[in-house]
Amino acid sequence: SVIEVPEQFHLVDINHLMHMIADMLCRLIAHNDQIPLTPSNVTRFHSRASPSITVSDYLRRIVKYTSLERSCLLILLLYIDRVCENNTFTITSLTVHRFIIAAVTVSSKALCDSYCTNTHYARVGGISTQELNTLELEFLKLIGWQLICTSETLQQYYVNLVKQNSLYRRAVTTD
């Protein structure tokens, strides 16, 4: 059966949002993992091997241990677009985990009044603080230091995310 989610992103259950984002990332990874890896397209975000934790479980872990807000989760999609339009970077099974933890660290600092330390994000993300610091700086360069967007833009990303997932549909209210 189809799950009805609220019309507005800021009202959606974070578990539903996590599920939709993980599903979208997995579809993107399945496509991008077909692209041959060459020395010219290896980045700081590349792992030697795919981490054993699934994208869904990784997002669930981050949300659980950082109290991540919906906007910080949803803006990952905008960050993916910004990184991919300006660079030769691609989200693959070798880059997605490091991309996520760097994006979450940056988005929390940009959008929230209260956020965790880099040491905490690194521990939750399974990397060293030094590595996260390096990834954070690289991430900021990749997105051209454009950290925020309007709530209307986030809402449009939410609408498109729900449309792409056959398990969900937005409740539409009439005024």
Side-chain angles (χ1 to χ4, degrees):
S1 66
V2 175
I3 299 167
E4 193 169 88
V5 292
E7 186 175 16
Q8 301 297 314
F9 80 88
H10 62 276
L11 300 174
V12 70
D13 181 301
I14 196 147
N15 292 306
H16 293 312
L17 186 59
M18 250 188 328
H19 181 266
M20 287 185 280
I21 290 173
D23 180 67
M24 187 277 308
L25 286 171
C26 288
R27 284 185 277 125
L28 185 61
I29 290 164
H31 177 268
N32 289 344
D33 276 355
Q34 304 305 310
I35 301 168
L37 188 61
T38 64
S40 65
N41 60 13
V42 172
T43 68
R44 287 190 187 270
F45 292 90
H46 279 81
S47 303
R48 284 184 175 81
S50 300
S52 58
I53 188 170
T54 66
V55 171
S56 183
D57 287 344
Y58 195 62
L59 285 173
R60 192 173 299 111
R61 176 180 168 78
I62 291 168
V63 168
K64 179 179 179 180
Y65 293 109
T66 66
S67 302
L68 193 65
E69 294 183 17
R70 289 164 189 83
S71 58
C72 295
L73 196 54
L74 192 55
I75 204 167
L76 294 179
L77 306 178
L78 173 70
Y79 289 166
I80 290 169
D81 284 349
R82 285 184 177 166
V83 164
C84 294
E85 75 185 19
N86 297 329
N87 303 281
T88 56
F89 184 88
T90 50
I91 299 291
T92 67
S93 57
L94 299 178
T95 62
V96 68
H97 294 82
R98 284 188 167 99
F99 180 90
I100 289 170
I101 198 63
V104 162
T105 302
V106 165
S107 69
S108 295
K109 291 176 180 181
L111 302 176
C112 302
D113 293 333
S114 176
Y115 52 86
C116 302
T117 64
N118 277 26
T119 300
H120 184 76
Y121 287 120
R123 190 175 304 122
V124 170
I127 60 176
S128 70
T129 304
Q130 182 180 359
E131 184 176 6
L132 180 58
N133 292 344
T134 302
L135 290 174
E136 181 181 19
L137 184 58
E138 185 69 19
F139 183 86
L140 289 166
K141 290 176 185 175
L142 284 173
I143 63 169
W145 297 81
Q146 296 177 29
L147 303 175
I148 58 173
C149 67
T150 64
S151 61
E152 292 80 14
T153 299
L154 283 180
Q155 178 63 27
Q156 192 57 55
Y157 272 90
Y158 173 68
V159 168
N160 291 336
L161 183 65
V162 176
K163 279 182 188 174
Q164 290 176 13
N165 196 305
S166 62
L167 296 178
Y168 296 92
R169 82 163 172 258
R170 277 177 57 241
V172 179
T173 58
T174 56
D175 292 336

